[in-house]
Amino acid sequence: MVELKSFLENSFSMEGLDCELASGLAALARPFSVKPGAILFEAGDPGNGCYAILEGSLKVSIVSVDGDEQLLAVMGPGSIVGELALLDGRARSANVTALKPTRLAFIEKHRFERFADENPALYRHMLSIVGSRLRQANDVLAARSFLPLPGRVAQTLLQLAETFGKPVDNGRVLIHYKLSQADIANMAGAARENVSRVLNDWKRAGTVSRISGYYCLENPDWLRQASAL
Amino acid sequence: MVELKSFLENSFSMEGLDCELASGLAALARPFSVKPGAILFEAGDPGNGCYAILEGSLKVSIVSVDGDEQLLAVMGPGSIVGELALLDGRARSANVTALKPTRLAFIEKHRFERFADENPALYRHMLSIVGSRLRQANDVLAARSFLPLPGRVAQTLLQLAETFGKPVDNGRVLIHYKLSQADIANMAGAARENVSRVLNDWKRAGTVSRISGYYCLENPDWLRQASAL
DNA sequence: CCGCAACAGTGACGATGATCACACAATGCG
DNA sequence: CGCATTGTGTGATCATCGTCACTGTTGCGG
């Protein structure tokens, strides 16, 4: 499957890995597909490898005992998920669920390590991925600590724009992904109703808009301001 | 300085690195000391290496524009700080300040990479450190999302016990470190006054006590329960 | 041993944001 | 094409927790 291989290479290199390593890795990967709603794994499961997203999207979340959900991220093609299990051998720390029909490549821990031992650049790459995850986690925590609700919503939108944003004109950014307010609320750690209020204030003020169901950031700089610590 | 070298080896191996690598690393490190209150670095500084703590303690924190502080961790001997800058080349993401007179070893990014490229096990080790940081960050975020104030305080105490805890009898754990309520509050993300109330409730209920200025967890299991998601 | 400074306890009050209870779109499907 | 399901807008109320304003305590340096 030439097509698959090129997909994989593309995917791995998306998070910045160089080409020959990507294809080496691609050779180790086992591709497969899942339907929306499928659970890749849940927190506490033993983790024996990681996944690269070729196509589709997944959500990473943690849930409380009484069912409340905290979304950590929504990830699209080119992202790696489940990488923590690759590092230490410990259990999965979050839930990952498919949001859309999704094509994935699974990389087993052993194989990864064998390959990476001969290609330390791969370790460096992994390190930089995990590093940016950690930075982001700290940013979110900072937002939770210091920002009132609107600031956290702003942060959430910008974060989503990072993953799904398509720049249009004048610095406006369209978030090319169907998001419900509930999704945003679960990321921002707020009640859906309040997110609604904030979003409407902004819509009226012209900082965001909705274009045929997609949110559009009319003024990302203003949002950045609002989410500054 | 034989003494220093053995200190270093001991330090690096504390987070689980094997002995020969530790001494290899030790050879790369530049030792120095700082006084309490000294700022190792602040968020936004360019980061060109990481530090191993030989002796003393540091706090890792982020601060908001209006000066509120969120403690991410208090770290003691054997811990590594500033490792993020080692991974990607990006700026420091938090502040690190000495709390006590502290002896450190600085490892430069270049040197580290050169050494690690020949010893991939070191990369793996680094990966597992960063991995556990990320796990912990997620735990804290989960607590913020789901737990009311007492739960977060419980989590904070347990986390501190992880770093500074000395088991005494019957599963009781003494936190061998001078902590003010303000410190705990800044970790738990709560107002000092409310932490005071919670702590007193627990003192009266016998779940925690103060033994000559140190907090002692009389019933860690109960606290774990209280901080369960 | 005294006095100051940092730390700790406690009440009162208020604001932020969660929850409840709806009416009102949209969307999709038989 | 209607009906159902899922998403959205908005007010009213309530609880948690932060803030303010103190008093009481502890420990340390002169």
Side-chain angles (χ1 to χ4, degrees):
Chain A
M1 301 217 106
V2 179
E3 190 233 354
L4 168 71
K5 184 156 169 290
S6 86
F7 248 126
L8 281 165
E9 286 170 19
N10 196 27
S11 168
F12 290 124
S13 60
M14 271 197 184
E15 294 212 30
L17 187 58
D18 76 66
C19 194
E20 86 241 41
L21 280 180
S23 53
L25 250 193
L28 305 180
R30 186 170 59 74
F32 68 107
S33 295
V34 294
K35 285 202 256 292
I39 295 171
L40 272 209
F41 54 78
E42 290 181 301
D45 291 355
N48 55 340
C50 75
Y51 303 82
I53 306 177
L54 307 180
E55 203 187 353
S57 67
L58 305 174
K59 66 172 178 183
V60 183
S61 66
I62 42 187
V63 294
S64 74
V65 274
D66 37 48
D68 293 345
E69 187 176 37
Q70 166 72 46
L71 281 187
L72 297 177
V74 177
M75 322 211 73
S79 300
I80 307 283
V81 297
E83 69 289 338
L84 272 194
L86 221 57
L87 314 183
D88 41 39
R90 316 235 308 275
R92 318 237 73 138
S93 63
N95 302 346
V96 171
T97 312
L99 294 171
K100 307 214 263 190
T102 300
R103 304 217 290 142
L104 295 151
F106 177 72
I107 301 171
E108 221 201 327
K109 186 171 187 292
H110 295 347
R111 292 189 174 199
F112 175 85
E113 284 180 344
R114 216 161 346 116
F115 184 72
D117 275 345
E118 274 144 36
N119 300 278
L122 186 53
Y123 276 130
R124 275 218 294 281
H125 183 249
M126 217 62 200
L127 239 9
S128 82
I129 290 179
V130 183
S132 62
R133 297 273 148 88
L134 187 49
R135 277 173 199 275
Q136 197 209 306
N138 284 341
D139 288 347
V140 172
L141 181 62
R144 282 302 166 82
S145 304
F146 301 138
L147 298 177
L149 192 146
R152 302 200 311 263
V153 174
Q155 194 205 36
T156 302
L157 289 178
L158 290 168
Q159 200 178 305
L160 287 164
E162 208 112 313
T163 319
F164 297 109
K166 304 255 182 260
V168 278
D169 49 18
N170 290 80
R172 297 162 66 212
V173 177
L174 182 73
I175 297 179
H176 206 94
Y177 195 84
K178 279 271 183 261
L179 288 168
S180 73
Q181 293 181 342
D183 295 331
I184 299 173
N186 286 334
M187 283 192 81
R192 205 264 313 147
E193 291 90 325
N194 296 314
V195 171
S196 180
R197 293 183 237 271
V198 169
L199 246 24
N200 281 321
D201 288 354
W202 288 349
K203 202 165 354 181
R204 283 187 268 275
T207 22
V208 302
S209 61
R210 270 197 114 178
I211 298 176
S212 67
Y214 299 110
Y215 285 94
C216 177
L217 316 183
E218 297 290 329
N219 194 344
D221 285 337
W222 190 90
L223 290 176
R224 261 182 281 278
Q225 199 60 31
S227 70
L229 298 177
Chain B
M1 301 216 104
V2 180
E3 190 232 353
L4 167 69
K5 187 157 167 291
S6 85
F7 247 126
L8 281 166
E9 285 169 21
N10 196 26
S11 167
F12 289 122
S13 61
M14 272 197 184
E15 295 212 28
L17 188 58
D18 75 67
C19 194
E20 86 241 42
L21 279 180
S23 53
L25 249 193
L28 305 179
R30 185 171 60 75
F32 68 106
S33 295
V34 294
K35 285 203 259 292
I39 296 172
L40 272 210
F41 54 78
E42 290 182 301
D45 290 357
N48 54 339
C50 76
Y51 303 81
I53 306 177
L54 307 180
E55 203 186 356
S57 67
L58 305 173
K59 67 173 177 181
V60 183
S61 65
I62 42 186
V63 294
S64 74
V65 274
D66 38 49
D68 293 344
E69 188 175 39
Q70 166 72 47
L71 280 188
L72 297 177
V74 177
M75 321 211 72
S79 300
I80 308 282
V81 296
E83 69 289 338
L84 272 194
L86 221 56
L87 314 185
D88 42 39
R90 316 238 309 275
R92 318 239 70 136
S93 62
N95 302 345
V96 171
T97 313
L99 293 171
K100 308 216 263 193
T102 300
R103 304 216 292 141
L104 295 151
F106 176 73
I107 301 171
E108 221 200 328
K109 185 172 188 293
H110 294 349
R111 290 188 176 201
F112 175 84
E113 284 180 345
R114 218 164 342 117
F115 184 71
D117 275 345
E118 274 142 36
N119 301 279
L122 186 52
Y123 277 131
R124 274 217 294 278
H125 183 248
M126 217 61 199
L127 240 9
S128 83
I129 291 179
V130 181
S132 63
R133 298 273 147 89
L134 187 49
R135 278 172 200 276
Q136 197 208 308
N138 284 341
D139 288 348
V140 172
L141 181 62
R144 282 303 165 82
S145 303
F146 301 138
L147 298 177
L149 193 148
R152 303 200 311 263
V153 175
Q155 194 205 36
T156 302
L157 290 178
L158 290 168
Q159 199 178 305
L160 287 164
E162 207 110 313
T163 318
F164 298 108
K166 305 257 184 256
V168 279
D169 51 17
N170 290 79
R172 296 164 67 212
V173 177
L174 183 73
I175 297 178
H176 205 93
Y177 194 84
K178 279 270 183 262
L179 288 167
S180 73
Q181 294 181 342
D183 295 331
I184 299 173
N186 285 336
M187 282 193 82
R192 205 264 313 148
E193 291 90 325
N194 296 314
V195 171
S196 181
R197 294 183 235 270
V198 169
L199 246 23
N200 282 322
D201 289 352
W202 289 349
K203 204 172 339 187
R204 282 187 268 276
T207 19
V208 303
S209 62
R210 271 198 111 175
I211 299 175
S212 68
Y214 298 110
Y215 285 94
C216 177
L217 316 184
E218 297 290 330
N219 193 345
D221 284 336
W222 190 90
L223 290 175
R224 260 181 282 278
Q225 200 60 31
S227 70
L229 297 180

